[in-house]
């Protein structure tokens, strides 16, 4: 059974702990072992800040090695407006709704980071998705929110989106809630924001009634590009926030200080029994572990430290800039990218407090010794990651954010970015760059584009949460 077939039965692999069969997989193991290889990938593709006078689009990439169009961009869904800056996106429903009846994972929720416009795309046919509805920015601004980021489907028939700013692009942000049936706006998810002033990514564990959110900055701060003075002025985040999932109230703040400047992606284990997780601090270039300490409060420690490196073209040591990380579906391996250094790393986290580096691949960046793949110059470096459900193929794109791209890798703004892949051998704890797979978004129809987040039809390890 292919996960690229139009949904319905695609998402059901025996519901062992409940009679109702809903969308998704009953367990992470069922998704990892019961689904077939990915055949297509949805890729955020944008043209903000480029010479190309065109709208952003959702790209469909053929990742089936038996296909005549393997490693090609086979379809594009153009947005109806220019300047959205598509960034992160998610599904209308996922494995968190496995107890719900009548739901189908068939719509992508695609926000524009700069426009605050939210697109609803019918993806029931993965090779021919189409826009079904657009929520205009004015509807979002009515709730004094802007800059949508992380999209998660949640068990109660809702979709929750982290929002990084208020209607004017200033602090604080919040969380916007949509209805799963008609994609209308319900309003804010949170009942009490507490002392949360900044927002970015979030993850939740419904079995333990907890949600963890991280911090980037106000849109008015990061939109123009990175400025060290903003860091010195405290305009970037250094904390994560613990929320009560049931009451939707802010419970606790963990502040990292210099060890955790700009904490971005939050990942908790897929095992719903776990009460711990990791967050990557981009500017500090650390990976931090957080956990529930047994009395309802949470604690943290630094478990991985990427040392800054000297570079002849830089006035200061170059941080790795950990911009994305993910956990394999069996929770054994942690992967993350160092966007400024130019490597992607693989750690064994079987001992969660003592991650063990097992391999890394260098490709592009300021220190990578590999400057081209398949005859294509690598513009940028490993950035957004996505792992195959069976844990054997790691894909990544090389663009971060339009103004930050143009600042650190200006060639992306001129020629577009790439999508690359490494084959992963989990039994041996290693990975190997696939020299035959490269999708050059410089050749996109209508002109170059930046490739960003990746999702699989049928779900993946960065979108699905289990009850």
């Amino acid at each position: 059974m292919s996960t690229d077939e139009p949904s319905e039965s695609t998402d059901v692999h025996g519901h062992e702990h409940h009679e109702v069969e809903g969308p998704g997989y009953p367990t992470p193991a069922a998704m990892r072992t019961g689904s077939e290889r990915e055949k297509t990938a949805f890729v955020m593709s944008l043209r903000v800040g480029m010479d190309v006078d065109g709208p952003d689009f959702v790209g469909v990439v053929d990742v089936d090695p038996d296909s005549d169009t393997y490693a090609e961009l086979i379809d594009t869904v153009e947005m109806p407006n220019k300047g959205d800056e598509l960034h992160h996106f998610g599904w209308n429903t996922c494995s968190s709704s496995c107890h719900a009846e009548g739901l189908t994972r068939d719509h992508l929720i695609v926000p524009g980071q700069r426009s605050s416009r939210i697109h609803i795309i019918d993806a029931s046919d993965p090779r021919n998705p189409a826009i079904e509805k657009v929520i205009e920015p004015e509807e979002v601004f009515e709730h004094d929110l802007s800059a949508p980021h992380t999209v998660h489907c949640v068990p109660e028939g809702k979709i929750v989106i982290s929002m990084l700013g208020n209607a004017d692009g200033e602090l604080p942000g919040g969380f916007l809630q949509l209805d799963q049936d008609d994609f209308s706006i319900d309003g804010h998810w949170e009942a009490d924001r507490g002392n949360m002033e900044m927002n970015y990514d979030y993850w939740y564990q419904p079995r333990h009634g907890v949600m963890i959110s991280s911090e980037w900055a106000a849109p008015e701060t990061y939109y123009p590009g990175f400025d060290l003075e903003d860091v010195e002025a405290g305009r970037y985040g250094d904390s994560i926030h613990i929320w009560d999932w049931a009451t939707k109230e802010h419970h606790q703040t963990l502040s990292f200080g210099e060890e955790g400047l700009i904490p971005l992606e939050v990942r908790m284990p897929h095992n719903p029994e776990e009460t711990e997780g990791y967050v990557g601090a981009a500017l500090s270039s650390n990976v931090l572990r957080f956990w529930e300490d047994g009395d309802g409060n949470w604690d943290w420690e630094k478990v991985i430290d990427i040392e800054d490196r000297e570079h002849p073209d830089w006035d200061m040591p170059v941080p790795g800039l950990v911009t994305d990380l993910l956990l394999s579906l069996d929770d054994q391996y942690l992967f993350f990218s160092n966007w400024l250094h130019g490597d992607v790393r693989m750690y064994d986290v079987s001992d969660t407090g003592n991650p063990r580096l097992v391999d890394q691949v260098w490709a592009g960046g300021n220190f990578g010794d590999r400057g081209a793949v398949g005859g294509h110059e690598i513009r940028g470096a490993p950035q957004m990651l996505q792992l195959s459900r069976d844990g054997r193929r790691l894909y990544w794109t090389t663009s971060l954010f339009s103004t930050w791209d143009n600042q650190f890798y200006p060639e992306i703004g001129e020629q577009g970015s790439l999508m690359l892949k490494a084959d992963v051998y989990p039994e041996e704890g290693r990975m190997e760059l696939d020299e035959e797979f490269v999708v050059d978004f410089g050749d996109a129809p209508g002109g170059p584009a930046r490739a960003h987040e990746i999702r699989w039809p049928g779900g993946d390890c960065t979108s699905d949460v289990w009850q």
Side-chain angles (χ1 to χ4, degrees):
M1 180 173 60
S2 168
T3 54
D4 286 352
E5 295 299 322
S7 16
E8 245 177 16
S9 61
T10 300
D11 298 324
V12 179
H13 287 261
H15 205 283
E16 300 171 355
H17 57 295
H18 199 284
E19 293 180 355
V20 175
E21 293 184 342
Y25 297 81
T27 65
M31 175 184 265
R32 182 171 60 84
T33 62
S35 61
E36 290 194 349
R37 177 177 173 139
E38 66 282 357
K39 301 289 180 61
T40 53
F42 298 121
V43 183
M44 290 293 90
S45 311
L46 55 147
R47 293 187 165 117
V48 172
M50 304 182 75
D51 293 337
V52 181
D53 185 25
D56 299 350
F57 61 88
V58 176
V60 181
V61 173
D62 189 336
V63 291
D64 179 0
D66 296 326
S67 170
D68 292 338
T69 54
Y70 178 57
E72 293 183 14
L73 197 54
I74 57 174
D75 194 20
T76 60
V77 183
E78 287 198 344
M79 300 300 103
N81 297 275
K82 298 176 183 176
D84 286 310
E85 182 120 21
L86 303 185
H87 195 62
H88 287 211
F89 63 135
W91 288 101
N92 60 318
T93 184
C94 68
S95 295
S96 70
S97 299
C98 64
H99 293 277
E101 196 170 18
L103 294 175
T104 305
R105 177 164 32 202
D106 55 4
H107 285 80
L108 289 168
I109 316 303
V110 182
Q113 236 291 312
R114 285 183 189 270
S115 67
S116 299
R117 187 174 288 110
I118 301 172
H119 312 84
I120 312 300
I121 294 182
D122 183 343
S124 52
D125 181 351
R127 289 179 172 260
N128 189 30
I131 294 178
E132 182 173 300
K133 176 179 178 177
V134 177
I135 300 173
E136 295 296 341
E138 292 74 17
E139 299 175 62
V140 175
F141 297 154
E142 287 180 9
H143 301 274
D144 199 22
L145 292 170
S146 68
H149 192 271
T150 298
V151 179
H152 274 303
C153 38
V154 301
E156 301 87 1
K158 304 296 180 182
I159 299 159
V160 175
I161 307 174
S162 60
M163 309 291 289
L164 276 58
N166 65 14
D168 296 321
E170 302 168 343
L171 297 176
F175 297 89
L176 188 72
Q177 181 170 293
L178 306 184
D179 186 87
Q180 247 171 1
D181 290 328
D182 60 6
F183 306 111
S184 60
I185 296 177
D186 287 340
H188 282 247
W189 169 83
E190 75 276 15
D192 168 22
R193 197 164 46 220
N195 60 359
M196 187 211 80
E197 294 183 352
M198 299 182 191
N199 204 3
Y200 181 69
D201 189 36
Y202 78 97
W203 196 277
Y204 66 98
Q205 286 285 43
R207 187 169 298 189
H208 299 286
V210 67
M211 188 257 270
I212 313 288
S213 65
S214 60
E215 298 184 333
W216 189 4
E220 63 176 0
T221 299
Y222 66 80
Y223 275 177
F226 178 75
D227 188 335
L228 202 55
E229 290 186 1
D230 287 330
V231 178
E232 295 167 352
R235 299 191 182 103
Y236 279 98
D238 67 351
S239 305
I240 60 173
H241 301 272
I242 318 297
W243 301 78
D244 186 310
W245 184 249
T247 66
K248 305 176 182 178
E249 294 174 333
H250 184 274
H251 171 65
Q252 185 183 358
T253 296
L254 298 183
S255 295
F256 307 131
E258 294 292 322
E259 298 283 21
L261 291 173
I262 314 186
L264 295 180
E265 311 302 332
V266 178
R267 308 296 183 208
M268 298 183 79
H270 300 94
N271 180 356
E273 291 289 340
E274 299 292 342
T275 51
E276 62 180 324
Y278 300 97
V279 60
L283 187 59
S284 296
S285 299
N286 293 327
V287 174
L288 309 171
R289 172 178 170 260
F290 55 85
W291 70 92
E292 200 267 323
D293 63 10
D295 64 359
N297 289 315
W298 292 68
D299 207 343
W300 67 277
E301 63 178 347
K302 180 178 68 176
V303 291
I304 300 172
D305 184 355
I306 309 301
E307 291 189 7
D308 297 350
R309 296 181 60 172
E310 299 290 339
H311 191 284
D313 296 335
W314 280 63
D315 297 330
M316 56 178 278
V318 183
L321 211 74
V322 179
T323 50
D324 192 21
L325 78 166
L326 60 79
L327 284 165
S328 58
L329 279 171
D330 60 3
D331 296 326
Q332 181 180 358
Y333 290 110
L334 173 74
F335 298 84
F336 65 85
S337 55
N338 285 309
W339 191 60
L340 289 181
H341 283 187
D343 62 313
V344 57
R345 296 190 176 201
M346 176 180 182
Y347 281 75
D348 186 332
V349 289
S350 301
D351 181 353
T352 56
N354 295 287
R356 180 170 62 88
L357 176 65
V358 293
D359 206 358
Q360 64 191 126
V361 168
W362 291 90
N366 287 287
F367 299 96
D369 55 7
R370 185 184 284 104
V373 173
H376 296 258
E377 176 193 0
I378 302 174
R379 300 180 292 274
Q383 210 283 113
M384 289 309 298
L385 310 174
Q386 189 54 266
L387 186 67
S388 63
R389 289 181 286 260
D390 62 6
R392 296 185 179 279
R393 292 165 298 285
L394 181 71
Y395 299 79
W396 66 82
T397 55
T398 62
S399 165
L400 175 60
F401 193 74
S402 62
T403 43
W404 293 43
D405 285 351
N406 294 350
Q407 192 172 356
F408 295 102
Y409 296 113
E411 62 273 21
I412 293 179
E414 299 164 358
Q415 304 171 55
S417 66
L418 304 178
M419 178 178 174
L420 300 172
K421 162 180 170 282
D423 292 315
V424 181
Y425 303 89
E427 297 86 356
E428 304 170 34
R430 69 180 183 89
M431 52 185 174
E432 185 175 309
L433 185 75
D434 182 349
E435 301 276 1
E436 304 298 320
F437 182 91
V438 56
V439 184
D440 193 334
F441 279 73
D443 299 328
R450 308 173 197 270
H452 195 65
E453 193 173 47
I454 304 167
R455 295 222 172 277
W456 313 127
D460 45 62
C461 61
T462 58
S463 63
D464 278 60
V465 174
W466 279 266
Q467 290 198 63

